[in-house]
Amino acid sequence: KPASISNASKSGGEFEAADWWEEHAETFALARSEWGRLHPGLYDLAANEADYIDPSLRAAVAAAEAAAMAGGPVDEAPLRSLLKPTVVAGVWRLQLFTPRFCAELREELDHAAASGVPIRRPNGMNRFGAILEAVPGGLGMEGAMRHLAHRYGRPLSQM
């Protein structure tokens, strides 16, 4: 593994040594496949929403979608009630995931790290993160992240 790929790297971000990641993409994919996934449900968020997405958020988004599909007015109050203020004006927090999701994601990341297969970092300042998408060195969770953005991020961003 070249020195530029080590966890101590702090420059170049997701494009750091891109040629190296591309050159070894097939090897990484095969190694990850052989190692296996610890929690396969994490990779299919659409099929596992009840286990992984906060129930209050699921209910509020479902109600908003139903109203929109019926052509009636959409009451944003249930969604807005889930947004909690922080100490910074204009910044809100939201319970998005269940504790189970958080625990399983941590376990999945630890499992991937234990494989010995290099994990691509999201940027040069993040020595312990992981790219969740299916890029060389990533973990292949793009389907789950796409569903998350489409199903939950979009309704929240439209308020």
Side-chain angles (χ1 to χ4, degrees):
K1 178 162 86 170
S4 63
I5 304 301
S6 75
N7 279 348
S9 175
K10 295 180 183 162
S11 65
E14 65 272 19
F15 302 110
E16 185 174 31
D19 294 342
W20 185 85
W21 289 104
E22 293 292 334
E23 180 183 337
H24 298 89
E26 190 174 318
T27 302
F28 298 149
L30 180 59
R32 287 211 190 288
S33 175
E34 288 179 5
W35 184 254
R37 296 173 172 170
L38 185 61
H39 298 292
L42 291 172
Y43 296 79
D44 189 358
L45 196 55
N48 296 289
E49 283 187 12
D51 294 326
Y52 296 143
I53 302 297
D54 181 74
S56 298
L57 178 60
R58 284 196 339 267
V61 167
E65 286 178 339
M69 295 292 277
V74 175
D75 181 10
E76 294 177 348
L79 273 172
R80 288 189 185 280
S81 73
L82 300 174
L83 300 174
K84 307 299 180 200
T86 66
V87 295
V88 179
V91 176
W92 304 85
R93 62 185 171 86
L94 167 74
Q95 181 69 40
L96 177 58
F97 299 117
T98 62
R100 177 179 173 184
F101 176 87
C102 295
E104 288 186 10
L105 181 59
R106 290 292 309 246
E107 291 170 2
E108 191 72 24
L109 292 170
D110 290 344
H111 178 72
S115 72
V117 180
I119 297 174
R120 195 168 185 177
R121 307 303 175 193
N123 59 57
M125 296 299 291
N126 190 334
R127 294 182 290 158
F128 304 104
I131 294 179
L132 300 180
E133 295 179 79
V135 297
L139 298 182
M141 297 180 80
E142 71 284 347
M145 297 300 103
R146 190 176 312 114
H147 177 76
L148 179 67
H150 182 265
R151 176 97 168 116
Y152 296 98
R154 188 167 47 156
L156 289 166
S157 70
Q158 293 176 342
M159 294 192 328

